[in-house]
Amino acid sequence: MHRALYALAAEYTTIAAWSCIDLRDLGRAQNYLHESTAFAGLSQDPSTGMRVWVNVAMLAYQRRNWPEQLAAAQAAEASPAARRDPFFGSMAGVRIALAHATLGDTRAAQRSLGAAQTTLRKAGEVEHPRWTAFYGAAELDHLAAIILNHSGLHANAETSSAYRSAGL
């Protein structure tokens, strides 16, 4: 019973954080995500923990805090959800690739991106929480273009995105 309440608290504080992000109040969003991290840990719910770490990585990216972005992405990758489910593993892996790209480590970014793409292909048609509806091949392709662009591989970013959009 307590774990479910903590998971619910984590969900609501994460939603509050995204409301703050929409308002461009990134400091307040950071505070909500900090609270959400504590609630997610207490809930011991793998998908809730994954959601929080992915959101922390996304906020760190928006705040241009590259080391925090990488640390949050690594926490997502080390989470039970990512270790057990290729879908979540891919979601964490692409966040690591983006963090490496923003830190200027092109080789690590490409390696992590390739792993995220391979892992997503291994993910079955398993039902996931509603909050994951944004993530799939299209989102991965979008992030791949951003990662390749950050890595200075502009032609590859454009080509990769165009080919995938055309279904090639």
Side-chain angles (χ1 to χ4, degrees):
M1 174 77 133
H2 286 95
R3 289 181 184 172
L5 289 174
Y6 286 128
L8 187 61
E11 294 288 328
Y12 278 107
T13 53
T14 298
I15 292 167
W18 279 106
S19 297
C20 292
I21 290 169
D22 287 344
L23 294 171
R24 303 301 301 157
D25 187 352
L26 301 183
R28 198 162 159 204
Q30 177 86 25
N31 292 337
Y32 278 124
L33 283 177
H34 180 74
E35 285 180 42
S36 188
T37 303
F39 290 137
L42 291 168
S43 78
Q44 297 180 0
D45 178 59
S47 68
T48 299
M50 178 60 133
R51 180 179 190 179
V52 172
W53 286 119
V54 167
N55 287 331
V56 170
M58 291 170 141
L59 178 61
Y61 178 83
Q62 290 188 14
R63 294 184 73 170
R64 299 180 183 274
N65 186 337
W66 315 136
E68 183 179 327
Q69 176 193 11
L70 179 59
Q74 288 170 330
E77 184 180 54
S79 74
R83 289 193 316 266
R84 293 181 195 148
D85 185 335
F87 176 83
F88 286 123
S90 174
M91 188 183 289
V94 75
R95 289 286 153 201
I96 287 178
L98 183 58
H100 283 307
T102 56
L103 286 165
D105 190 344
T106 301
R107 188 170 255 155
Q110 289 180 301
R111 188 173 47 251
S112 295
L113 176 58
Q117 290 167 328
T118 299
T119 304
L120 185 60
R121 284 191 293 272
K122 292 177 183 176
E125 292 297 319
V126 178
E127 188 173 328
H128 290 96
R130 203 171 38 209
W131 70 265
T132 65
F134 75 95
Y135 191 73
E139 177 70 4
L140 181 56
D141 289 345
H142 169 76
L143 291 171
I146 292 170
I147 291 162
L148 293 169
N149 194 44
H150 277 308
S151 298
L153 304 169
H154 308 294
N156 293 15
E158 186 176 337
T159 303
S160 172
S161 180
Y163 275 110
R164 285 193 178 87
S165 295
L168 303 173

